[in-house]
Amino acid sequence: VTDENGCTTVDESSIMVVDEIIPLFNPIGPICQNSQPPSLPGISVNGITGAWVPPVINTAIADTATYTFTPDPGQCATGTTILIVVVTEIFPEFDAFGPYCQNSQPLILPVTSNNGITGSWEPPVVNTAIPGMEPYTFTPDTGQCALPVTIGITVYDAVLPEFLPIGPLCQYSEPPALPMTSTNGITGSWIPPEINTLVPGIFTYAFIPDEGQCALPSG
């Protein structure tokens, strides 16, 4: 620059170059498949505003997807990407329950599935008072990416063993053997195990069904 006396001077100025800022975000996910995703933040934790591509998290497909954040102009910020994992939903798995005999003592419904899912049942206890098949629904606890599952549990009618009439028998005669299988297919044993013809009278013989047949004692 030349002044009024013809002297030349140098005019200096400073120019600052600012580092580009990388937008920072808290981790997002993993997210359960088909769940309601959180909104992608419009401002980073270090104060950068911008927009996302894609703009919304898609949870329809279990996969790892890339989401790109582009800062708004005038912030000396660079774009960045994050990875968001969508996890496959799990079906709780259980061993078979029942079938049960009417009025029998059922097993306690487990609060943890075979594949490690915790939750609760509705109804909470198996009811064996009424024969038929009833649905029992297991609802997983939150945060496990697991789906509810419904299982049908069957309760069978208690069967009364049926027998053909025996006797009357003559005193001291050779009695027939008591049948070990009823006419309706129930196996078991008798108390007493043999007919006694030494003493005249009417006597009661009780048939005790073998286990696992949903049959009632008779006699």
Side-chain angles (χ1 to χ4, degrees):
V1 177
T2 302
D3 62 16
E4 59 185 8
N5 297 319
C7 297
T8 301
T9 61
V10 177
D11 190 11
E12 294 181 353
S13 63
S14 297
I15 299 175
M16 180 181 292
V17 177
V18 180
D19 287 338
E20 282 190 317
I21 302 171
I22 299 176
L24 302 176
F25 297 93
N26 292 321
I28 299 175
I31 302 172
C32 298
Q33 186 179 11
N34 297 318
S35 66
Q36 181 65 39
S39 298
L40 290 166
I43 183 170
S44 69
V45 294
N46 54 343
I48 305 301
T49 61
W52 291 91
V53 176
V56 178
I57 299 172
N58 178 16
T59 64
I61 300 174
D63 200 357
T64 300
T66 300
Y67 291 78
T68 301
F69 180 80
T70 301
D72 294 331
Q75 299 178 95
C76 289
T78 185
T80 190
T81 60
I82 61 172
L83 298 178
I84 299 178
V85 177
V86 176
V87 181
T88 304
E89 290 176 306
I90 303 170
F91 279 100
E93 298 174 357
F94 296 94
D95 294 330
F97 301 117
Y100 292 105
C101 299
Q102 187 177 11
N103 298 317
S104 66
Q105 181 64 42
L107 295 176
I108 295 173
L109 291 169
V111 295
T112 302
S113 69
N114 293 346
N115 52 343
I117 305 301
T118 61
S120 58
W121 290 90
E122 183 59 40
V125 178
V126 177
N127 178 17
T128 63
I130 301 173
M133 187 179 74
E134 292 295 327
Y136 290 77
T137 299
F138 179 81
T139 301
D141 295 330
T142 57
Q144 298 177 97
C145 291
L147 295 169
V149 65
T150 299
I151 297 175
I153 300 178
T154 299
V155 176
Y156 288 139
D157 282 315
V159 179
L160 186 66
E162 299 174 357
F163 297 93
L164 297 174
I166 298 176
L169 302 175
C170 297
Q171 187 179 14
Y172 304 120
S173 65
E174 181 67 28
L178 290 167
M180 307 307 291
T181 302
S182 69
T183 55
N184 55 343
I186 305 300
T187 62
S189 57
W190 292 89
I191 298 176
E194 296 178 350
I195 299 173
N196 179 10
T197 61
L198 296 179
V199 179
I202 298 175
F203 302 95
T204 298
Y205 291 78
F207 181 78
I208 310 301
D210 294 332
E211 293 183 359
Q213 300 178 97
C214 293
L216 298 171
S218 66

